[in-house]
Structure formats: C-alpha cells, structure tokens
Amino acid sequence: QVQLVESGGGLVQVGGSLSVSCAASTSTFSFNGMAWHRQAPGKQREVVASISRSGITNYADSVNGRFTISRDDAKNTLLLEMSDLKPEDTAVYYCNTGTLKSGTYDPGAYWGQGTQVTVSS
C-alpha cells in the first residue's frame, strides 16, 4: 500500500508555467515506474508522462517538449514541470506508482486526490 498526495496546482495563463508535485508514503525507489495522469470533466484519465526507476522517461504526444517529469527517491517525491501551458491542459492531475515496460505504463491501484490545474487566457 502506498499513499499519494498531489499538490501545487492552481490557475495559470496560457503560455505560462506551473509545477505539481507528489509525495509518497512509501519509498519510491522500490517502484518500477511512476507517472503523472490527468483527467478533465467527462473524459477518461490519461497518462501524460512516466518515468522508470533508472530515469527513462516517456511523454504523451500532446505534452512532449512542454512537460518534464522527474523523481527524487531520496525524498519520495515525483515532480511534473509544465511550460507553455494550453487550455487543453486544464485537468486534475494525479500521480501513480506502477509498471513501465517498453514505453507503456500500467498504473498501480493507488491514487491520490489529485491537484487541479486550470489554464485560462
């Protein structure tokens, strides 16, 4: 069992930057992979970025080049740095611990409450 707490969301203008973080109650080093997901109202939750234990990253095409995922196992945290934000980035962002294989991320069973990111003009 792992407890996850996301934070750092807020309101930002189009083209702006924002970072969200995730604190885990369990050592993150033990997890094969970690990822950030997001979900907009009426839409399916989707993975936007993932990272392996060795630091290999994968990004959804919609955010590639704008978002950066990183992990700090010494602090049991996961970070997502977002730049050049667009209205379509508006969603609740969730972190997750799971399995990353051949560029495909399979989420684990535990989720936090998420943090809201709103992008407006």
Side-chain angles (χ1 to χ4, degrees):
Q1 178 181 344
V2 60
Q3 296 177 1
L4 304 169
V5 180
E6 300 91 344
S7 63
L11 178 65
V12 62
Q13 293 188 21
V14 172
S17 300
L18 191 68
S19 295
V20 292
S21 61
C22 172
S25 63
T26 304
S27 174
T28 54
F29 182 77
S30 64
F31 299 111
N32 168 266
M34 300 182 70
W36 282 99
H37 296 70
R38 67 185 182 187
Q39 186 170 26
K43 300 185 68 176
Q44 184 178 4
R45 187 173 299 182
E46 62 177 352
V47 59
V48 297
S50 62
I51 184 168
S52 72
R53 186 158 51 214
S54 63
I56 299 173
T57 59
N58 286 278
Y59 298 92
D61 289 341
S62 59
V63 307
N64 192 32
R66 300 187 297 116
F67 289 14
T68 300
I69 186 173
S70 61
R71 61 191 293 172
D72 187 343
D73 292 326
K75 299 180 179 179
N76 296 333
T77 59
L78 182 71
L79 180 70
L80 183 68
E81 297 171 278
M82 302 175 286
S83 63
D84 192 24
L85 285 163
K86 306 176 184 298
E88 52 264 40
D89 294 321
T90 296
V92 177
Y93 283 72
Y94 301 87
C95 67
N96 178 260
T97 57
T99 302
L100 180 62
K101 183 184 70 176
S102 299
T104 300
Y105 183 80
D106 295 319
Y110 304 103
W111 301 89
Q113 294 301 304
T115 185
Q116 176 72 48
V117 173
T118 303
V119 184
S120 63
S121 60

